[in-house]
C-alpha cells in the first residue's frame, strides 16, 4: 500500500540522515539502516492517523537493533504534505541497551516516480544501559523513493 511505503520511507530518511548523536558531552557520528512495517489507525480527526511501526536493522554503536515507533501523521493540516508529529522511537541493541528518540517533520507526497522529500528534526532523549545519559539532536533531510 502506497501509504505504508511513505511511512517506511520517512523512517528510512530519519535513520539514514541522523548523524550527530552526543554521549558524555562528545559528538558521535551515527548511521543506521532498517526495514520497518507500519500499521495506521485513523484518529477522530479526518486525515490524521496514528502510526505504529516495528522493524529491525543495524545501527552504529548498537549493532543489530529492533525498532519500535509511534507517531501522528497529519494529511489534513498542510494539503500536499505529510506532517509528522509526536514521533517516538526506541532502538534496542542485541544486549538490551536502548536508545530513545523523539522526532517531527514534514514530507512531500510522492511524485509520479515515487520520490518524496523529507525534512524535520530529532532529539536523542536518553536510553538504558550504556545509553542512559545519551543526548543529541539533529536535522532530518533527505529524498526517498517510495516505490
Amino acid at each position: 500500500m502506497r501509504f505504508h511505503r511513505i511511512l517506511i520511507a520517512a523512517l528510512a530518511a530519519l535513520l539514514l540522515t541522523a548523524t550527530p548523536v552526543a554521549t558524555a558531552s562528545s559528538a558521535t557520528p551515527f548511521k543506521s539502516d532498517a526495514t520497518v512495517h507500519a500499521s495506521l489507525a485513523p484518529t477522530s480527526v479526518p486525515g490524521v492517523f496514528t502510526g505504529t511501526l516495528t522493524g529491525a536493522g543495524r545501527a552504529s554503536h548498537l549493532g543489530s537493533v529492533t525498532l519500535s515507533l509511534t507517531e501522528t501523521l497529519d494529511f489534513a493540516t498542510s494539503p500536499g504534505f505529510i506532517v509528522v508529529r509526536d514521533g517516538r522511537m526506541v532502538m534496542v541493541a542485541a544486549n538490551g541497551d536502548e536508545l530513545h528518540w523523539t522526532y517531527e517533520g514534514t514530507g512531500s507526497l510522492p511524485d509520479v516516480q515515487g520520490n518524496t522529500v523529507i525534512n524535520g528534526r530529532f532529539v536523542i532523549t536518553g536510553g538504558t544501559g550504556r545509553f542512559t545519559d545519551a543526548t543529541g539532536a539533529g536535522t532530518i533531510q533527505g529524498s526517498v523513493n517510495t516505490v
Side-chain angles (χ1 to χ4, degrees), residues 10-145:
L11 175 63
L14 168 71
L15 296 177
L16 295 174
T17 61
T19 52
V21 172
T23 58
S25 300
S26 64
T28 305
F30 183 87
K31 294 182 182 181
S32 67
D33 165 353
T35 300
V36 298
H37 301 280
S39 172
L40 301 176
T43 67
S44 60
V45 179
V48 178
F49 298 83
T50 298
T52 303
L53 300 87
T54 58
R58 293 197 56 79
S60 54
H61 313 292
L62 285 90
S64 293
V65 295
T66 58
L67 308 169
S68 298
L69 301 93
T70 59
E71 61 190 20
T72 300
L73 293 139
D74 183 345
F75 290 83
T77 300
S78 298
F81 292 90
I82 305 166
V83 177
V84 179
R85 27 177 228 274
D86 305 319
R88 297 192 179 280
M89 177 171 64
V90 176
M91 288 183 137
V92 182
N95 70 351
D97 290 353
E98 297 179 358
L99 187 59
H100 299 180
W101 309 54
T102 60
Y103 60 92
E104 62 184 25
T106 59
S108 62
L109 296 177
D111 64 18
V112 293
Q113 289 85 28
N115 298 313
T116 185
V117 176
I118 308 291
N119 293 290
R121 62 190 177 118
F122 69 91
V123 176
I124 304 297
T125 60
T128 65
R130 66 181 178 222
F131 301 108
T132 297
D133 296 320
T135 61
T139 57
I140 303 162
Q141 295 178 325
S143 61
V144 178
N145 186 287

